[in-house]
Amino acid sequence: MADASGLADDRALLGRTSTAERVSDILRSRIAEGYFPPGARLSEDSIGGALGVSRNTLREAFRLLTHERLLVHQLNRGVFVRVLTIEDVEDIYRTRRLVECAVVRGLGDPPFALDGLASAVADGTKAARERKWKGVSTANIHFHRELVALAGSARTDEVMRSVFAELRLAFHVVDDPRRLHEPYLARNRQILETLRDGDAAEAEQLLAVYLDDSRRGLVEAYGQRVAEGERAAR
């Protein structure tokens, strides 16, 4: 069972207006960080106690995250962080390709507001220099969230927030984050520079190839880990 003791530090985030949505935000972030890894069982008692929220509030938060496909409820066993299938990973990338490429295609006339993308590229470069490969992963996700934010659509941001959180469930299973994430630092920078030059059409082409390559690499690495887990369970 996952240890929830560290969540006590997040209690201050709830403030006086504690809601299931705020609890779900905290848990979503913790799941994305790998604090609650795929397959972990979430204890109502320990999490509710750490955050100082009622059982009903916590159950509603669990329900929201189940709807986002981050948690699963197993009858008579409890609530668990979801373990993705290969088909899930493929579907996540289909969604990413549809949305992210459409955002770049619809940018309109340059110049574009690229400060967020530039910050993500700088963060990724710094994390790689320090050999913090999970930090590189976080920076890559930040890059793509900032890319989606260029659409200026709260609805699109909300949809992709869940997609990126779900994607990180797969990242946490892969045992070589450097191999998975480091090659894309240069490609992030290339997309950024192409957008700085005002060439959204070229940036979209670069992004489409980028996402296809990323999908193939993650499916291969994730598939190997899943197969290893199945062999170990026999």
Side-chain angles (χ1 to χ4, degrees), residues 46-134:
S46 60
I47 293 175
L51 292 177
V53 298
S54 70
R55 188 179 296 270
N56 286 340
T57 295
L58 188 59
R59 286 178 177 175
E60 176 62 12
F62 284 171
R63 187 191 68 78
L64 292 171
L65 294 176
T66 299
H67 180 70
E68 293 180 19
R69 300 171 61 83
L70 296 179
L71 302 179
V72 292
H73 180 267
Q74 297 183 15
L75 189 62
N76 299 323
R77 294 194 63 210
V79 176
F80 295 78
V81 178
R82 191 157 168 264
V83 178
L84 300 184
T85 64
I86 296 296
E87 290 76 16
D88 290 325
V89 176
E90 296 271 10
D91 193 44
I92 287 168
Y93 272 88
R94 278 192 292 270
T95 302
R96 291 187 65 192
R97 205 178 193 281
L98 283 170
V99 174
E100 294 185 49
C101 289
V103 167
V104 175
R105 191 182 315 126
L107 283 178
D109 296 327
F112 311 119
L114 302 176
D115 288 350
L117 290 180
S119 176
V121 168
D123 289 345
T125 301
K126 180 176 184 292
R129 190 181 305 119
E130 297 172 354
R131 305 181 68 81
K132 295 179 179 178
W133 306 117
K134 287 188 177 181

Side-chain angles (χ1 to χ4, degrees), residues 10 13-15 17-30 51 53-68 70 158 161-162:
D10 291 325
L13 299 176
L14 297 175
T17 57
S18 173
T19 65
E21 286 80 7
R22 288 175 182 261
V23 174
S24 67
D25 285 345
I26 290 170
L27 295 179
R28 185 188 301 106
S29 295
R30 289 295 191 156
L51 292 177
V53 298
S54 70
R55 188 179 296 270
N56 286 340
T57 295
L58 188 59
R59 286 178 177 175
E60 176 62 12
F62 284 171
R63 187 191 68 78
L64 292 171
L65 294 176
T66 299
H67 180 70
E68 293 180 19
L70 296 179
E158 183 176 356
R161 178 187 66 177
S162 297

